[in-house]
Amino acid sequence: MKDSIFFTILAGVAVFVTGQFILKLILEPIVSLKESLGELSAFCLRNRAKITNANANANATLEMQLEFKFLGSKLISKRPLGKSCLFGGIHVNSKTF
């Protein structure tokens, strides 16, 4: 009787630890990367007229450049760490990030 209770508790703890491991090390980085991609996409869509029409307003262009650099650096900081990652990496011009 005592052994079955012990093994039940041990199995519950093992399931919880495994679930947290999967959540923290696999799912949360993927969600964070997708959020960064969404922010970058929203920036490009919000400023598509200025980008495609080559608006040369110096102040607006500088602000856009700074925001684009910020979003790009945020995306690079959340990239997967090579091909050993589950979702393989982001492929741009035959380079894997």
Side-chain angles (χ1 to χ4, degrees):
M1 181 72 175
K2 289 182 182 180
D3 288 338
S4 66
I5 293 173
F6 175 73
F7 287 125
T8 302
I9 292 172
L10 188 63
V13 169
V15 166
F16 176 76
V17 169
T18 304
Q20 290 298 311
F21 175 77
I22 291 170
L23 181 68
K24 295 291 182 185
L25 295 179
I26 297 173
L27 295 178
E28 284 186 5
I30 293 171
V31 169
S32 177
L33 179 69
K34 297 285 185 176
E35 286 176 356
S36 295
L37 285 171
E39 290 176 6
L40 184 62
S41 177
F43 169 79
C44 291
L45 289 172
R46 185 173 56 245
N47 295 308
R48 70 178 178 260
K50 293 176 186 174
I51 294 170
T52 57
N53 294 333
N55 187 358
N57 186 354
N59 291 335
T61 304
L62 181 60
E63 290 174 11
M64 283 177 44
Q65 286 176 356
L66 292 176
E67 187 177 357
F68 186 73
K69 287 178 184 179
F70 173 75
L71 291 171
S73 63
K74 191 174 174 183
L75 183 62
I76 288 172
S77 71
K78 294 181 181 183
R79 72 179 179 199
L81 299 174
K83 291 189 175 187
S84 64
C85 209
L86 287 178
F87 46 97
I90 300 171
H91 301 283
V92 177
N93 295 335
S94 74
K95 293 181 181 180
T96 302
F97 293 99

